[in-house]
């Protein structure tokens, strides 16, 4: 039960979905949790409910991260925030590509850069990165999203080489479909968009819940110190990845 050894966590994507659920779990376990997202009112509600410390900022703002993060002693860095886009690379705008790379990958790298030296100094730390089955399998979806998540997969493995000999663990969680707001955001994020996304992506399907993902993260965090849970892939039982497509000419 090593969770008790960790005192402070930094969770991104904390305003909704998987991140908000993880904040509930970690505050419930007695950790001081710093919660990052842009939506200040949702973060305030989360803070009142859980005791987490809210930081309303945009993860694309590297200067803001450089100002905040070195002031914290982060034992658990949970890179949960992420964005997706509709279509594929043929439909991409410059903004789509920039947002996917900046939030899904660059912010993760910067947060690792800013927290890892302190973990090394204290010889204590755990980094949890959320990738996606999109980072492991080819299927129709946004190509840049797949690319950023594949990078998160490789990064998660690579960090372990950088900290070999230190009591620092790195866990990648790779989920299939989870019922959150991520799809509705691409439709505008309004209550109507949430209803439409629910109909398209979730109605009639058994999806993962945010509790399922939080359980996996807790398993990794609570594993004994000598054990690094490197990768957990979780999917709904009725979802399978991949498939071979052959276009007839
Ligand atoms: N849901 C799925 O089916 C699924 C499957 C595989 C992997 N994932 C991954 O799981 C992670 C969590 O997603 P979710 O499903 O919980 O989606 P979600 O409910 O849409 O949550 C996304 C979170 O990221 C934050 N965020 C987005 N852009 C940000 C920015 N520029 N600066 C700061 N925070 C930002 C959002 O907060 P604000 O809007 O308040 O900033 C929100 O808290 C993502 O990395 C996603 O790729 C999800």
């Amino acid at each position: 039960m090593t969770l008790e050894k960790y005192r402070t966590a930094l969770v991104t994507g904390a305003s909704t979905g998987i991140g908000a659920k993880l904040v509930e779990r970690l505050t419930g376990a007695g950790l001081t949790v710093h919660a990052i997202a842009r939506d200040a009112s949702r973060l305030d509600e989360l803070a009142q409910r859980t005791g987490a410390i809210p930081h309303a900022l945009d993860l694309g703002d590297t200067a803001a991260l450089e100002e905040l993060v070195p002031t914290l002693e982060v034992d658990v860095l949970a890179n949960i925030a992420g964005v997706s886009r509709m279509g594929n690379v043929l439909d991409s705008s410059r903004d789509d590509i920039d947002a996917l790379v900046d939030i899904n990958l660059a912010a993760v790298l910067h947060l690792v850069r800013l927290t890892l030296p302190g973990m090394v100094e204290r010889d204590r730390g755990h980094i949890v990165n959320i990738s996606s089955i999109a980072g492991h399998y080819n299927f129709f979806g946004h190509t840049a999203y797949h690319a950023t998540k594949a990078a998160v997969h490789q990064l998660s493995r690579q960090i372990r080489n950088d900290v070999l000999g230190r009591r620092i663990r790195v866990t990648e969680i790779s989920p299939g479909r989870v019922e959150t707001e991520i799809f509705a955001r691409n439709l505008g994020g309004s209550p109507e968009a949430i209803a439409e996304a629910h109909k398209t992506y979730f109605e009639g399907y058994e999806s993962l819940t945010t509790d399922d993902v939080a359980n996996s993260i807790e398993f990794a965090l609570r594993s004994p110190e000598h054990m690094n849970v490197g990768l957990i892939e979780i999917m709904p039982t009725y979802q399978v990845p991949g498939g071979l497509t052959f276009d007839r000419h």
Side-chain angles (χ1 to χ4, degrees), residues 1 11 23 41-42 48 65 67 70 76 117 130 133 161 213 239:
M1 303 286 257
V11 179
V23 170
S41 63
R42 283 176 127 172
Q48 278 173 20
L65 296 179
E67 200 180 315
V76 177
I130 294 255
I133 56 166
N161 292 61
V213 184
Q239 181 183 33

Side-chain angles (χ1 to χ4, degrees), residues 129-174:
N129 292 328
I130 294 255
S131 60
S132 163
I133 56 166
H136 296 264
Y137 302 102
N138 295 106
F139 51 84
F140 293 101
H142 201 291
T143 305
Y145 181 82
H146 280 241
T148 60
K149 293 300 187 176
V152 168
H153 166 64
Q154 185 58 27
L155 167 67
S156 304
R157 298 213 155 161
Q158 189 63 25
I159 300 166
R160 296 208 57 233
N161 292 61
D162 297 345
V163 296
L164 179 64
R166 305 288 177 169
R167 189 105 30 218
I168 295 169
R169 301 184 291 172
V170 184
T171 300
E172 174 193 356
I173 307 286
S174 177

Side-chain angles (χ1 to χ4, degrees), residues 18 132-134 174-179 208 213 233-236 239:
I18 297 164
S132 163
I133 56 166
S174 177
R177 191 176 293 175
V178 190
E179 182 148 5
L208 297 173
V213 184
E233 179 190 288
I234 40 171
M235 263 180 259
Q239 181 183 33

